[in-house]
Amino acid sequence: GAIESVLTCPLQNAANLRQQMELYVHPSALQDRGDGSKKRRGRNQALASAELRRVFTMFVKPDVDPTLSLDKEKDAALFALLNDIMNITQSVVKRFKGHLRQFIIDDKGVVLILSWGQRGATYPHLVAEKGLPAAIALQNAFRFDLNIESRIGATVGPTYCGVLGGNNRHEFTILGSSVNLAARLACSHINEGILVRSEEHTSELQSPYVISY
């Protein structure tokens, strides 16, 4: 009996560990050991991970021109500033337990995409206790620590969360009208700092705008 208990304990621990990992780790990272081709297993994992979830999506546009000047000192200062932006954003995301989806630098400038509500980042008061405080904390950190302004657009609503792409090249993404709307709010001419809109029509919301800050 004692020997049998010792032998089964590691298996029980492994099962418990897997259950805990499923709360935070994307399902595609938990490899399927069953029969079938690698291609079929990958497709099944992608289908299993696809979900429609209530997600708070935030687009952040720091007022920074990322164009290189070919001046060694100026470009070094730009790289240092971009690194500081990344570090501050990661600190805020960690503090409010969200996800940093992307950090993009292109012809539109610098854009960061943050989100709450995916697997492992779902909370009872998603907007009031996570999303909105994170938006205000991030803008204040940029303003007071880096002396730069920023515009933030955010939405909360039903969003597709899952794998996008093929078996050889794919990524975990969030898609939906609320994500597109958050991007537009960040660039809106009426956005003076933070503009958040809800796509959820409930009696508690007297206005589609949760906050204009």
Side-chain angles (χ1 to χ4, degrees):
I3 296 177
E4 183 179 356
S5 177
V6 171
L7 292 175
T8 58
C9 186
L11 297 177
Q12 293 175 350
N13 290 339
N16 292 336
L17 179 60
R18 184 180 180 89
Q19 290 176 355
Q20 293 298 317
M21 290 175 63
E22 287 175 348
L23 298 176
Y24 302 98
V25 178
H26 191 267
S28 61
L30 301 175
Q31 297 296 325
D32 182 10
R33 301 301 181 183
D35 295 332
S37 67
K38 180 179 179 181
K39 183 176 181 180
R40 185 166 65 250
R41 290 201 305 270
R43 183 170 61 250
N44 292 339
Q45 289 171 353
L47 291 174
S49 66
E51 300 175 295
L52 191 63
R53 301 178 70 95
R54 179 175 183 261
V55 174
F56 183 89
T57 307
M58 182 192 306
F59 277 69
V60 184
K61 285 183 61 65
D63 187 13
V64 174
D65 182 3
T67 305
L68 295 177
S69 64
L70 301 183
D71 181 283
K72 191 172 183 179
E73 292 185 0
K74 291 182 179 179
D75 290 344
L78 173 61
F79 294 148
L81 177 60
L82 294 175
N83 187 66
D84 289 340
I85 289 174
M86 172 62 91
N87 288 335
I88 286 177
T89 303
Q90 288 181 320
S91 176
V92 171
V93 168
K94 181 178 180 180
R95 175 183 170 190
F96 292 97
K97 304 185 187 310
H99 292 284
L100 174 58
R101 169 71 181 87
Q102 284 181 327
F103 184 7
I104 308 169
I105 301 176
D106 56 17
D107 58 333
K108 299 180 180 62
V110 180
V111 178
L112 300 104
I113 306 176
L114 288 67
S115 59
W116 285 259
Q118 298 103 303
R119 192 177 302 223
T122 301
Y123 309 96
H125 305 289
L126 188 68
V127 179
E129 295 183 358
K130 300 297 180 182
L132 294 183
I136 296 173
L138 189 59
Q139 188 177 71
N140 287 339
F142 287 161
R143 179 177 297 160
F144 298 119
D145 295 348
L146 302 181
N147 196 30
I148 60 174
E149 294 298 323
S150 61
R151 289 191 295 174
I152 297 176
T155 57
V156 58
T159 303
Y160 167 83
C161 304
V163 175
L164 179 67
N167 288 322
N168 296 327
R169 184 176 180 181
H170 53 265
E171 63 175 343
F172 184 79
T173 189
I174 53 175
L175 297 172
S177 60
S178 63
V179 178
N180 298 335
L181 179 58
R184 295 197 297 271
L185 291 178
C187 302
S188 173
H189 69 280
I190 66 173
N191 188 344
E192 298 180 355
I194 300 176
L195 190 59
V196 181
R197 177 166 178 153
S198 173
E199 284 207 331
E200 299 173 332
H201 302 287
T202 63
S203 59
E204 290 83 1
L205 294 177
Q206 302 300 322
S207 167
Y209 293 99
V210 178
I211 181 173
S212 178
Y213 176 79

